[in-house]
Amino acid sequence: YAHKVFEACVGKGIIENKVVVLTGGVKGIGRCIKETFEKQGAHVCIIDVLDNDYFVGSIGNKEDLICFTNKVIKDYGHVDYIINKAYI
């Protein structure tokens, strides 16, 4: 349901090619957020302790955060949006 609300509120093109950092984006609401943003054309960079296609790590671990940040900046050069869905 959340993805339908999001798609109704945000027209195509508004987040197209935007870089979105999403913590905890593998399951549940996080996965829904990821899929919805990707469908709208955003580049979604996930950090999660669960296996995913971008970066496996913990937001509670300083070294993981440094490596994740370096990867995002190397891949995209900037961040447009941060969605903190994970918990420590």
Side-chain angles (χ1 to χ4, degrees):
Y1 175 76
H3 69 284
K4 291 183 188 229
V5 172
F6 179 82
E7 290 171 354
C9 295
V10 179
K12 286 206 181 266
I14 292 175
I15 61 170
E16 188 172 356
N17 292 318
K18 299 294 184 185
V19 179
V20 179
V21 165
L22 173 60
T23 69
V26 174
K27 298 188 330 182
I29 293 170
R31 186 177 72 202
C32 180
I33 292 168
K34 173 190 179 290
E35 291 171 354
T36 303
F37 271 73
E38 286 179 337
K39 204 184 294 185
Q40 295 289 332
H43 304 286
V44 182
C45 306
I46 292 176
I47 180 170
D48 199 308
V49 295
L50 300 175
D51 192 36
N52 68 81
D53 58 356
Y54 195 76
F55 190 90
V56 176
S58 171
I59 62 170
N61 182 297
K62 182 178 177 179
E63 290 78 25
D64 286 354
L65 286 175
I66 291 169
C67 291
F68 173 71
T69 301
N70 289 337
K71 179 172 175 46
V72 172
I73 297 305
K74 179 182 175 215
D75 291 350
Y76 298 103
H78 71 282
V79 173
D80 295 299
Y81 303 101
I82 299 174
I83 302 171
N84 185 21
K85 205 293 272 142
Y87 58 91
I88 299 175

